[in-house]
PDB file of all heavy atoms in Angstrom:
ATOM      1  N   VAL E   1     -46.045 -43.056 -26.834  1.00 98.00           N
ATOM      2  CA  VAL E   1     -45.718 -43.065 -25.410  1.00 98.00           C
ATOM      3  C   VAL E   1     -45.369 -41.648 -24.977  1.00 98.00           C
ATOM      4  O   VAL E   1     -44.863 -40.846 -25.781  1.00 98.00           O
ATOM      5  CB  VAL E   1     -44.548 -44.042 -25.139  1.00 98.00           C
ATOM      6  CG1 VAL E   1     -43.281 -43.610 -25.865  1.00 98.00           C
ATOM      7  CG2 VAL E   1     -44.304 -44.228 -23.658  1.00 98.00           C
ATOM      8  N   GLN E   2     -45.641 -41.344 -23.719  1.00 98.00           N
ATOM      9  CA  GLN E   2     -45.309 -40.026 -23.192  1.00 98.00           C
ATOM     10  C   GLN E   2     -43.820 -39.925 -22.883  1.00 98.00           C
ATOM     11  O   GLN E   2     -43.161 -40.947 -22.623  1.00 98.00           O
ATOM     12  CB  GLN E   2     -46.126 -39.754 -21.930  1.00 98.00           C
ATOM     13  CG  GLN E   2     -47.608 -39.600 -22.180  1.00 98.00           C
ATOM     14  CD  GLN E   2     -48.360 -39.188 -20.922  1.00 98.00           C
ATOM     15  OE1 GLN E   2     -47.864 -39.340 -19.807  1.00 98.00           O
ATOM     16  NE2 GLN E   2     -49.550 -38.639 -21.109  1.00 98.00           N
ATOM     17  N   PRO E   3     -43.285 -38.723 -22.898  1.00 98.00           N
ATOM     18  CA  PRO E   3     -41.883 -38.556 -22.488  1.00 98.00           C
ATOM     19  C   PRO E   3     -41.637 -39.160 -21.108  1.00 98.00           C
ATOM     20  O   PRO E   3     -42.467 -39.011 -20.198  1.00 98.00           O
ATOM     21  CB  PRO E   3     -41.706 -37.031 -22.469  1.00 98.00           C
ATOM     22  CG  PRO E   3     -42.702 -36.549 -23.473  1.00 98.00           C
ATOM     23  CD  PRO E   3     -43.887 -37.463 -23.334  1.00 98.00           C
ATOM     24  N   GLY E   4     -40.514 -39.849 -20.988  1.00 98.00           N
ATOM     25  CA  GLY E   4     -40.194 -40.542 -19.751  1.00 98.00           C
ATOM     26  C   GLY E   4     -40.705 -41.967 -19.698  1.00 98.00           C
ATOM     27  O   GLY E   4     -40.335 -42.724 -18.785  1.00 98.00           O
ATOM     28  N   GLY E   5     -41.525 -42.341 -20.654  1.00 98.00           N
ATOM     29  CA  GLY E   5     -42.096 -43.684 -20.678  1.00 98.00           C
ATOM     30  C   GLY E   5     -41.157 -44.706 -21.295  1.00 98.00           C
ATOM     31  O   GLY E   5     -40.009 -44.398 -21.644  1.00 98.00           O
ATOM     32  N   SER E   6     -41.671 -45.931 -21.426  1.00 98.00           N
ATOM     33  CA  SER E   6     -40.877 -47.049 -21.930  1.00 98.00           C
ATOM     34  C   SER E   6     -41.630 -47.805 -23.012  1.00 98.00           C
ATOM     35  O   SER E   6     -42.869 -47.838 -23.019  1.00 98.00           O
ATOM     36  CB  SER E   6     -40.546 -48.022 -20.789  1.00 98.00           C
ATOM     37  OG  SER E   6     -39.767 -47.414 -19.791  1.00 98.00           O
ATOM     38  N   LEU E   7     -40.866 -48.410 -23.897  1.00 98.00           N
ATOM     39  CA  LEU E   7     -41.383 -49.331 -24.893  1.00 98.00           C
ATOM     40  C   LEU E   7     -40.361 -50.444 -25.085  1.00 98.00           C
ATOM     41  O   LEU E   7     -39.160 -50.226 -24.901  1.00 98.00           O
ATOM     42  CB  LEU E   7     -41.611 -48.644 -26.240  1.00 98.00           C
ATOM     43  CG  LEU E   7     -42.857 -47.780 -26.426  1.00 98.00           C
ATOM     44  CD1 LEU E   7     -42.804 -47.105 -27.797  1.00 98.00           C
ATOM     45  CD2 LEU E   7     -44.127 -48.588 -26.290  1.00 98.00           C
ATOM     46  N   ARG E   8     -40.868 -51.606 -25.472  1.00 98.00           N
ATOM     47  CA  ARG E   8     -39.984 -52.716 -25.802  1.00 98.00           C
ATOM     48  C   ARG E   8     -40.286 -53.161 -27.225  1.00 98.00           C
ATOM     49  O   ARG E   8     -41.388 -53.641 -27.511  1.00 98.00           O
ATOM     50  CB  ARG E   8     -40.185 -53.881 -24.852  1.00 98.00           C
ATOM     51  CG  ARG E   8     -39.139 -54.986 -25.010  1.00 98.00           C
ATOM     52  CD  ARG E   8     -39.526 -56.217 -24.252  1.00 98.00           C
ATOM     53  NE  ARG E   8     -38.408 -57.144 -24.084  1.00 98.00           N
ATOM     54  CZ  ARG E   8     -38.556 -58.439 -23.860  1.00 98.00           C
ATOM     55  NH1 ARG E   8     -39.769 -58.966 -23.765  1.00 98.00           N
ATOM     56  NH2 ARG E   8     -37.490 -59.216 -23.696  1.00 98.00           N
ATOM     57  N   LEU E   9     -39.296 -52.987 -28.097  1.00 98.00           N
ATOM     58  CA  LEU E   9     -39.436 -53.424 -29.471  1.00 98.00           C
ATOM     59  C   LEU E   9     -38.938 -54.857 -29.610  1.00 98.00           C
ATOM     60  O   LEU E   9     -37.976 -55.256 -28.940  1.00 98.00           O
ATOM     61  CB  LEU E   9     -38.645 -52.526 -30.409  1.00 98.00           C
ATOM     62  CG  LEU E   9     -38.953 -51.025 -30.349  1.00 98.00           C
ATOM     63  CD1 LEU E   9     -38.144 -50.294 -31.421  1.00 98.00           C
ATOM     64  CD2 LEU E   9     -40.427 -50.758 -30.506  1.00 98.00           C
ATOM     65  N   SER E  10     -39.592 -55.608 -30.485  1.00 98.00           N
ATOM     66  CA  SER E  10     -39.169 -56.964 -30.803  1.00 98.00           C
ATOM     67  C   SER E  10     -38.939 -57.084 -32.298  1.00 98.00           C
ATOM     68  O   SER E  10     -39.587 -56.400 -33.095  1.00 98.00           O
ATOM     69  CB  SER E  10     -40.232 -57.981 -30.373  1.00 98.00           C
ATOM     70  OG  SER E  10     -40.458 -57.942 -28.994  1.00 98.00           O
ATOM     71  N   CYS E  11     -38.035 -57.956 -32.657  1.00 97.00           N
ATOM     72  CA  CYS E  11     -37.764 -58.245 -34.060  1.00 97.00           C
ATOM     73  C   CYS E  11     -37.670 -59.757 -34.199  1.00 97.00           C
ATOM     74  O   CYS E  11     -36.717 -60.372 -33.696  1.00 97.00           O
ATOM     75  CB  CYS E  11     -36.470 -57.572 -34.505  1.00 97.00           C
ATOM     76  SG  CYS E  11     -35.934 -58.020 -36.172  1.00 97.00           S
ATOM     77  N   ALA E  12     -38.663 -60.333 -34.846  1.00 97.00           N
ATOM     78  CA  ALA E  12     -38.701 -61.779 -35.042  1.00 97.00           C
ATOM     79  C   ALA E  12     -38.103 -62.124 -36.395  1.00 97.00           C
ATOM     80  O   ALA E  12     -38.461 -61.520 -37.411  1.00 97.00           O
ATOM     81  CB  ALA E  12     -40.139 -62.276 -34.960  1.00 97.00           C
ATOM     82  N   ALA E  13     -37.214 -63.095 -36.391  1.00 95.00           N
ATOM     83  CA  ALA E  13     -36.508 -63.474 -37.614  1.00 95.00           C
ATOM     84  C   ALA E  13     -36.876 -64.886 -38.039  1.00 95.00           C
ATOM     85  O   ALA E  13     -37.040 -65.782 -37.202  1.00 95.00           O
ATOM     86  CB  ALA E  13     -35.002 -63.387 -37.396  1.00 95.00           C
ATOM     87  N   SER E  14     -36.985 -65.068 -39.329  1.00 91.00           N
ATOM     88  CA  SER E  14     -37.158 -66.401 -39.877  1.00 91.00           C
ATOM     89  C   SER E  14     -35.794 -66.959 -40.231  1.00 91.00           C
ATOM     90  O   SER E  14     -34.820 -66.221 -40.349  1.00 91.00           O
ATOM     91  CB  SER E  14     -38.035 -66.358 -41.125  1.00 91.00           C
ATOM     92  OG  SER E  14     -37.385 -65.619 -42.139  1.00 91.00           O
ATOM     93  N   GLY E  15     -35.701 -68.232 -40.429  1.00 78.00           N
ATOM     94  CA  GLY E  15     -34.438 -68.812 -40.859  1.00 78.00           C
ATOM     95  C   GLY E  15     -33.651 -69.447 -39.735  1.00 78.00           C
ATOM     96  O   GLY E  15     -33.705 -68.994 -38.594  1.00 78.00           O
ATOM     97  N   ARG E  16     -32.898 -70.467 -40.084  1.00 74.00           N
ATOM     98  CA  ARG E  16     -32.170 -71.242 -39.079  1.00 74.00           C
ATOM     99  C   ARG E  16     -30.851 -70.629 -38.694  1.00 74.00           C
ATOM    100  O   ARG E  16     -30.239 -71.046 -37.726  1.00 74.00           O
ATOM    101  CB  ARG E  16     -31.922 -72.654 -39.608  1.00 74.00           C
ATOM    102  CG  ARG E  16     -33.175 -73.474 -39.810  1.00 74.00           C
ATOM    103  CD  ARG E  16     -32.845 -74.810 -40.432  1.00 74.00           C
ATOM    104  NE  ARG E  16     -32.320 -74.654 -41.776  1.00 74.00           N
ATOM    105  CZ  ARG E  16     -31.874 -75.659 -42.515  1.00 74.00           C
ATOM    106  NH1 ARG E  16     -31.837 -76.885 -42.012  1.00 74.00           N
ATOM    107  NH2 ARG E  16     -31.435 -75.447 -43.733  1.00 74.00           N
ATOM    108  N   THR E  17     -30.390 -69.621 -39.448  1.00 83.00           N
ATOM    109  CA  THR E  17     -29.067 -69.078 -39.202  1.00 83.00           C
ATOM    110  C   THR E  17     -29.093 -67.786 -38.412  1.00 83.00           C
ATOM    111  O   THR E  17     -28.076 -67.129 -38.267  1.00 83.00           O
ATOM    112  CB  THR E  17     -28.336 -68.838 -40.532  1.00 83.00           C
ATOM    113  OG1 THR E  17     -29.166 -68.035 -41.375  1.00 83.00           O
ATOM    114  CG2 THR E  17     -28.034 -70.159 -41.215  1.00 83.00           C
ATOM    115  N   PHE E  18     -30.240 -67.427 -37.856  1.00 85.00           N
ATOM    116  CA  PHE E  18     -30.354 -66.183 -37.090  1.00 85.00           C
ATOM    117  C   PHE E  18     -29.294 -66.098 -36.011  1.00 85.00           C
ATOM    118  O   PHE E  18     -28.704 -65.038 -35.787  1.00 85.00           O
ATOM    119  CB  PHE E  18     -31.751 -66.100 -36.469  1.00 85.00           C
ATOM    120  CG  PHE E  18     -31.884 -65.011 -35.436  1.00 85.00           C
ATOM    121  CD1 PHE E  18     -32.136 -63.709 -35.820  1.00 85.00           C
ATOM    122  CD2 PHE E  18     -31.766 -65.292 -34.080  1.00 85.00           C
ATOM    123  CE1 PHE E  18     -32.265 -62.696 -34.879  1.00 85.00           C
ATOM    124  CE2 PHE E  18     -31.894 -64.297 -33.126  1.00 85.00           C
ATOM    125  CZ  PHE E  18     -32.141 -62.995 -33.534  1.00 85.00           C
ATOM    126  N   SER E  19     -29.054 -67.187 -35.328  1.00 85.00           N
ATOM    127  CA  SER E  19     -28.151 -67.151 -34.175  1.00 85.00           C
ATOM    128  C   SER E  19     -26.717 -66.824 -34.561  1.00 85.00           C
ATOM    129  O   SER E  19     -25.913 -66.499 -33.701  1.00 85.00           O
ATOM    130  CB  SER E  19     -28.197 -68.484 -33.429  1.00 85.00           C
ATOM    131  OG  SER E  19     -27.786 -69.537 -34.280  1.00 85.00           O
ATOM    132  N   SER E  20     -26.389 -66.890 -35.837  1.00 89.00           N
ATOM    133  CA  SER E  20     -25.023 -66.583 -36.266  1.00 89.00           C
ATOM    134  C   SER E  20     -24.862 -65.143 -36.731  1.00 89.00           C
ATOM    135  O   SER E  20     -23.757 -64.721 -37.070  1.00 89.00           O
ATOM    136  CB  SER E  20     -24.599 -67.532 -37.387  1.00 89.00           C
ATOM    137  OG  SER E  20     -25.345 -67.290 -38.555  1.00 89.00           O
ATOM    138  N   TYR E  21     -25.950 -64.366 -36.752  1.00 93.00           N
ATOM    139  CA  TYR E  21     -25.892 -63.001 -37.274  1.00 93.00           C
ATOM    140  C   TYR E  21     -25.677 -61.974 -36.168  1.00 93.00           C
ATOM    141  O   TYR E  21     -26.278 -62.084 -35.083  1.00 93.00           O
ATOM    142  CB  TYR E  21     -27.197 -62.640 -37.975  1.00 93.00           C
ATOM    143  CG  TYR E  21     -27.540 -63.467 -39.192  1.00 93.00           C
ATOM    144  CD1 TYR E  21     -28.822 -63.461 -39.709  1.00 93.00           C
ATOM    145  CD2 TYR E  21     -26.581 -64.253 -39.832  1.00 93.00           C
ATOM    146  CE1 TYR E  21     -29.162 -64.203 -40.824  1.00 93.00           C
ATOM    147  CE2 TYR E  21     -26.924 -65.008 -40.951  1.00 93.00           C
ATOM    148  CZ  TYR E  21     -28.204 -64.966 -41.436  1.00 93.00           C
ATOM    149  OH  TYR E  21     -28.538 -65.715 -42.535  1.00 93.00           O
ATOM    150  N   THR E  22     -24.890 -60.969 -36.463  1.00 95.00           N
ATOM    151  CA  THR E  22     -24.917 -59.773 -35.652  1.00 95.00           C
ATOM    152  C   THR E  22     -26.202 -59.015 -35.987  1.00 95.00           C
ATOM    153  O   THR E  22     -26.567 -58.895 -37.154  1.00 95.00           O
ATOM    154  CB  THR E  22     -23.699 -58.883 -35.956  1.00 95.00           C
ATOM    155  OG1 THR E  22     -22.507 -59.563 -35.547  1.00 95.00           O
ATOM    156  CG2 THR E  22     -23.800 -57.554 -35.238  1.00 95.00           C
ATOM    157  N   MET E  23     -26.886 -58.520 -34.974  1.00 96.00           N
ATOM    158  CA  MET E  23     -28.162 -57.831 -35.182  1.00 96.00           C
ATOM    159  C   MET E  23     -28.041 -56.371 -34.760  1.00 96.00           C
ATOM    160  O   MET E  23     -27.369 -56.047 -33.777  1.00 96.00           O
ATOM    161  CB  MET E  23     -29.267 -58.501 -34.382  1.00 96.00           C
ATOM    162  CG  MET E  23     -29.547 -59.939 -34.791  1.00 96.00           C
ATOM    163  SD  MET E  23     -30.112 -60.086 -36.493  1.00 96.00           S
ATOM    164  CE  MET E  23     -31.685 -59.219 -36.411  1.00 96.00           C
ATOM    165  N   GLY E  24     -28.711 -55.519 -35.507  1.00 97.00           N
ATOM    166  CA  GLY E  24     -28.682 -54.099 -35.189  1.00 97.00           C
ATOM    167  C   GLY E  24     -30.064 -53.485 -35.209  1.00 97.00           C
ATOM    168  O   GLY E  24     -30.990 -54.023 -35.833  1.00 97.00           O
ATOM    169  N   TRP E  25     -30.198 -52.376 -34.489  1.00 98.00           N
ATOM    170  CA  TRP E  25     -31.382 -51.526 -34.564  1.00 98.00           C
ATOM    171  C   TRP E  25     -30.968 -50.174 -35.122  1.00 98.00           C
ATOM    172  O   TRP E  25     -29.944 -49.620 -34.718  1.00 98.00           O
ATOM    173  CB  TRP E  25     -32.007 -51.332 -33.191  1.00 98.00           C
ATOM    174  CG  TRP E  25     -32.793 -52.501 -32.677  1.00 98.00           C
ATOM    175  CD1 TRP E  25     -32.358 -53.467 -31.822  1.00 98.00           C
ATOM    176  CD2 TRP E  25     -34.150 -52.835 -32.983  1.00 98.00           C
ATOM    177  NE1 TRP E  25     -33.351 -54.383 -31.585  1.00 98.00           N
ATOM    178  CE2 TRP E  25     -34.467 -54.005 -32.280  1.00 98.00           C
ATOM    179  CE3 TRP E  25     -35.134 -52.252 -33.793  1.00 98.00           C
ATOM    180  CZ2 TRP E  25     -35.727 -54.613 -32.347  1.00 98.00           C
ATOM    181  CZ3 TRP E  25     -36.380 -52.844 -33.857  1.00 98.00           C
ATOM    182  CH2 TRP E  25     -36.670 -54.021 -33.139  1.00 98.00           C
ATOM    183  N   PHE E  26     -31.772 -49.666 -36.028  1.00 98.00           N
ATOM    184  CA  PHE E  26     -31.573 -48.353 -36.623  1.00 98.00           C
ATOM    185  C   PHE E  26     -32.879 -47.578 -36.490  1.00 98.00           C
ATOM    186  O   PHE E  26     -33.932 -48.149 -36.213  1.00 98.00           O
ATOM    187  CB  PHE E  26     -31.201 -48.486 -38.102  1.00 98.00           C
ATOM    188  CG  PHE E  26     -29.846 -49.091 -38.345  1.00 98.00           C
ATOM    189  CD1 PHE E  26     -29.633 -50.458 -38.206  1.00 98.00           C
ATOM    190  CD2 PHE E  26     -28.769 -48.293 -38.718  1.00 98.00           C
ATOM    191  CE1 PHE E  26     -28.377 -51.020 -38.416  1.00 98.00           C
ATOM    192  CE2 PHE E  26     -27.519 -48.844 -38.951  1.00 98.00           C
ATOM    193  CZ  PHE E  26     -27.325 -50.203 -38.794  1.00 98.00           C
ATOM    194  N   ARG E  27     -32.812 -46.283 -36.705  1.00 98.00           N
ATOM    195  CA  ARG E  27     -34.031 -45.479 -36.706  1.00 98.00           C
ATOM    196  C   ARG E  27     -33.915 -44.352 -37.715  1.00 98.00           C
ATOM    197  O   ARG E  27     -32.814 -43.910 -38.055  1.00 98.00           O
ATOM    198  CB  ARG E  27     -34.319 -44.918 -35.314  1.00 98.00           C
ATOM    199  CG  ARG E  27     -33.285 -43.915 -34.798  1.00 98.00           C
ATOM    200  CD  ARG E  27     -33.585 -43.555 -33.351  1.00 98.00           C
ATOM    201  NE  ARG E  27     -32.615 -42.605 -32.826  1.00 98.00           N
ATOM    202  CZ  ARG E  27     -32.590 -42.216 -31.553  1.00 98.00           C
ATOM    203  NH1 ARG E  27     -33.498 -42.701 -30.670  1.00 98.00           N
ATOM    204  NH2 ARG E  27     -31.684 -41.339 -31.140  1.00 98.00           N
ATOM    205  N   GLN E  28     -35.075 -43.901 -38.179  1.00 98.00           N
ATOM    206  CA  GLN E  28     -35.115 -42.785 -39.114  1.00 98.00           C
ATOM    207  C   GLN E  28     -36.265 -41.866 -38.747  1.00 98.00           C
ATOM    208  O   GLN E  28     -37.434 -42.275 -38.750  1.00 98.00           O
ATOM    209  CB  GLN E  28     -35.270 -43.269 -40.552  1.00 98.00           C
ATOM    210  CG  GLN E  28     -35.139 -42.161 -41.579  1.00 98.00           C
ATOM    211  CD  GLN E  28     -34.971 -42.685 -42.992  1.00 98.00           C
ATOM    212  OE1 GLN E  28     -35.283 -43.826 -43.297  1.00 98.00           O
ATOM    213  NE2 GLN E  28     -34.450 -41.841 -43.878  1.00 98.00           N
ATOM    214  N   ALA E  29     -35.917 -40.639 -38.400  1.00 97.00           N
ATOM    215  CA  ALA E  29     -36.904 -39.621 -38.077  1.00 97.00           C
ATOM    216  C   ALA E  29     -37.281 -38.876 -39.353  1.00 97.00           C
ATOM    217  O   ALA E  29     -36.512 -38.845 -40.317  1.00 97.00           O
ATOM    218  CB  ALA E  29     -36.331 -38.663 -37.046  1.00 97.00           C
ATOM    219  N   PRO E  30     -38.461 -38.248 -39.370  1.00 92.00           N
ATOM    220  CA  PRO E  30     -38.893 -37.519 -40.563  1.00 92.00           C
ATOM    221  C   PRO E  30     -37.869 -36.462 -40.976  1.00 92.00           C
ATOM    222  O   PRO E  30     -37.401 -35.674 -40.146  1.00 92.00           O
ATOM    223  CB  PRO E  30     -40.205 -36.872 -40.113  1.00 92.00           C
ATOM    224  CG  PRO E  30     -40.707 -37.751 -39.026  1.00 92.00           C
ATOM    225  CD  PRO E  30     -39.489 -38.255 -38.318  1.00 92.00           C
ATOM    226  N   GLY E  31     -37.511 -36.473 -42.234  1.00 94.00           N
ATOM    227  CA  GLY E  31     -36.578 -35.484 -42.753  1.00 94.00           C
ATOM    228  C   GLY E  31     -35.127 -35.707 -42.397  1.00 94.00           C
ATOM    229  O   GLY E  31     -34.272 -34.862 -42.697  1.00 94.00           O
ATOM    230  N   LYS E  32     -34.843 -36.829 -41.748  1.00 96.00           N
ATOM    231  CA  LYS E  32     -33.459 -37.112 -41.337  1.00 96.00           C
ATOM    232  C   LYS E  32     -32.979 -38.423 -41.950  1.00 96.00           C
ATOM    233  O   LYS E  32     -33.773 -39.258 -42.372  1.00 96.00           O
ATOM    234  CB  LYS E  32     -33.361 -37.177 -39.815  1.00 96.00           C
ATOM    235  CG  LYS E  32     -33.654 -35.857 -39.119  1.00 96.00           C
ATOM    236  CD  LYS E  32     -33.360 -35.947 -37.630  1.00 96.00           C
ATOM    237  CE  LYS E  32     -33.570 -34.620 -36.941  1.00 96.00           C
ATOM    238  NZ  LYS E  32     -33.271 -34.687 -35.489  1.00 96.00           N
ATOM    239  N   GLU E  33     -31.677 -38.587 -41.953  1.00 97.00           N
ATOM    240  CA  GLU E  33     -31.107 -39.833 -42.441  1.00 97.00           C
ATOM    241  C   GLU E  33     -31.271 -40.924 -41.391  1.00 97.00           C
ATOM    242  O   GLU E  33     -31.369 -40.658 -40.191  1.00 97.00           O
ATOM    243  CB  GLU E  33     -29.624 -39.635 -42.781  1.00 97.00           C
ATOM    244  CG  GLU E  33     -29.375 -38.715 -43.955  1.00 97.00           C
ATOM    245  CD  GLU E  33     -27.914 -38.693 -44.359  1.00 97.00           C
ATOM    246  OE1 GLU E  33     -27.082 -39.263 -43.637  1.00 97.00           O
ATOM    247  OE2 GLU E  33     -27.616 -38.099 -45.410  1.00 97.00           O
ATOM    248  N   ARG E  34     -31.255 -42.137 -41.874  1.00 97.00           N
ATOM    249  CA  ARG E  34     -31.313 -43.276 -40.959  1.00 97.00           C
ATOM    250  C   ARG E  34     -30.044 -43.293 -40.100  1.00 97.00           C
ATOM    251  O   ARG E  34     -28.943 -43.044 -40.600  1.00 97.00           O
ATOM    252  CB  ARG E  34     -31.428 -44.566 -41.745  1.00 97.00           C
ATOM    253  CG  ARG E  34     -31.593 -45.827 -40.899  1.00 97.00           C
ATOM    254  CD  ARG E  34     -31.829 -47.025 -41.795  1.00 97.00           C
ATOM    255  NE  ARG E  34     -30.705 -47.274 -42.668  1.00 97.00           N
ATOM    256  CZ  ARG E  34     -30.762 -48.038 -43.759  1.00 97.00           C
ATOM    257  NH1 ARG E  34     -31.916 -48.608 -44.103  1.00 97.00           N
ATOM    258  NH2 ARG E  34     -29.694 -48.236 -44.506  1.00 97.00           N
ATOM    259  N   GLU E  35     -30.194 -43.592 -38.817  1.00 97.00           N
ATOM    260  CA  GLU E  35     -29.036 -43.627 -37.932  1.00 97.00           C
ATOM    261  C   GLU E  35     -28.997 -44.935 -37.146  1.00 97.00           C
ATOM    262  O   GLU E  35     -30.027 -45.534 -36.830  1.00 97.00           O
ATOM    263  CB  GLU E  35     -29.030 -42.441 -36.960  1.00 97.00           C
ATOM    264  CG  GLU E  35     -30.114 -42.478 -35.891  1.00 97.00           C
ATOM    265  CD  GLU E  35     -29.875 -41.477 -34.765  1.00 97.00           C
ATOM    266  OE1 GLU E  35     -28.742 -40.966 -34.615  1.00 97.00           O
ATOM    267  OE2 GLU E  35     -30.838 -41.224 -34.020  1.00 97.00           O
ATOM    268  N   PHE E  36     -27.799 -45.325 -36.842  1.00 98.00           N
ATOM    269  CA  PHE E  36     -27.562 -46.512 -36.025  1.00 98.00           C
ATOM    270  C   PHE E  36     -27.997 -46.240 -34.592  1.00 98.00           C
ATOM    271  O   PHE E  36     -27.777 -45.148 -34.061  1.00 98.00           O
ATOM    272  CB  PHE E  36     -26.073 -46.853 -36.067  1.00 98.00           C
ATOM    273  CG  PHE E  36     -25.653 -47.900 -35.084  1.00 98.00           C
ATOM    274  CD1 PHE E  36     -25.774 -49.241 -35.364  1.00 98.00           C
ATOM    275  CD2 PHE E  36     -25.107 -47.525 -33.847  1.00 98.00           C
ATOM    276  CE1 PHE E  36     -25.370 -50.205 -34.456  1.00 98.00           C
ATOM    277  CE2 PHE E  36     -24.705 -48.467 -32.940  1.00 98.00           C
ATOM    278  CZ  PHE E  36     -24.843 -49.820 -33.240  1.00 98.00           C
ATOM    279  N   VAL E  37     -28.594 -47.243 -33.947  1.00 98.00           N
ATOM    280  CA  VAL E  37     -29.007 -47.112 -32.554  1.00 98.00           C
ATOM    281  C   VAL E  37     -28.224 -48.080 -31.662  1.00 98.00           C
ATOM    282  O   VAL E  37     -27.639 -47.670 -30.659  1.00 98.00           O
ATOM    283  CB  VAL E  37     -30.518 -47.379 -32.394  1.00 98.00           C
ATOM    284  CG1 VAL E  37     -30.920 -47.359 -30.918  1.00 98.00           C
ATOM    285  CG2 VAL E  37     -31.327 -46.373 -33.184  1.00 98.00           C
ATOM    286  N   ALA E  38     -28.223 -49.363 -32.018  1.00 98.00           N
ATOM    287  CA  ALA E  38     -27.593 -50.362 -31.157  1.00 98.00           C
ATOM    288  C   ALA E  38     -27.309 -51.622 -31.968  1.00 98.00           C
ATOM    289  O   ALA E  38     -27.940 -51.864 -32.994  1.00 98.00           O
ATOM    290  CB  ALA E  38     -28.489 -50.706 -29.970  1.00 98.00           C
ATOM    291  N   ALA E  39     -26.360 -52.418 -31.476  1.00 97.00           N
ATOM    292  CA  ALA E  39     -26.043 -53.698 -32.112  1.00 97.00           C
ATOM    293  C   ALA E  39     -25.667 -54.703 -31.042  1.00 97.00           C
ATOM    294  O   ALA E  39     -25.229 -54.336 -29.937  1.00 97.00           O
ATOM    295  CB  ALA E  39     -24.910 -53.555 -33.116  1.00 97.00           C
ATOM    296  N   ILE E  40     -25.829 -55.986 -31.388  1.00 97.00           N
ATOM    297  CA  ILE E  40     -25.505 -57.063 -30.462  1.00 97.00           C
ATOM    298  C   ILE E  40     -24.837 -58.185 -31.242  1.00 97.00           C
ATOM    299  O   ILE E  40     -25.244 -58.518 -32.358  1.00 97.00           O
ATOM    300  CB  ILE E  40     -26.770 -57.551 -29.723  1.00 97.00           C
ATOM    301  CG1 ILE E  40     -26.406 -58.554 -28.626  1.00 97.00           C
ATOM    302  CG2 ILE E  40     -27.796 -58.133 -30.688  1.00 97.00           C
ATOM    303  CD1 ILE E  40     -27.573 -58.811 -27.659  1.00 97.00           C
TER     304      ILE E  40
END
């Protein structure tokens, strides 16, 4: 995507207990450590 643009990521989970989990998004750029992005 170009700078200023938008994307929507999805994460589909299997299992009946998904609704009881806290969920997070992380990211890792080349040469960098993985970092926390968001949680719900």
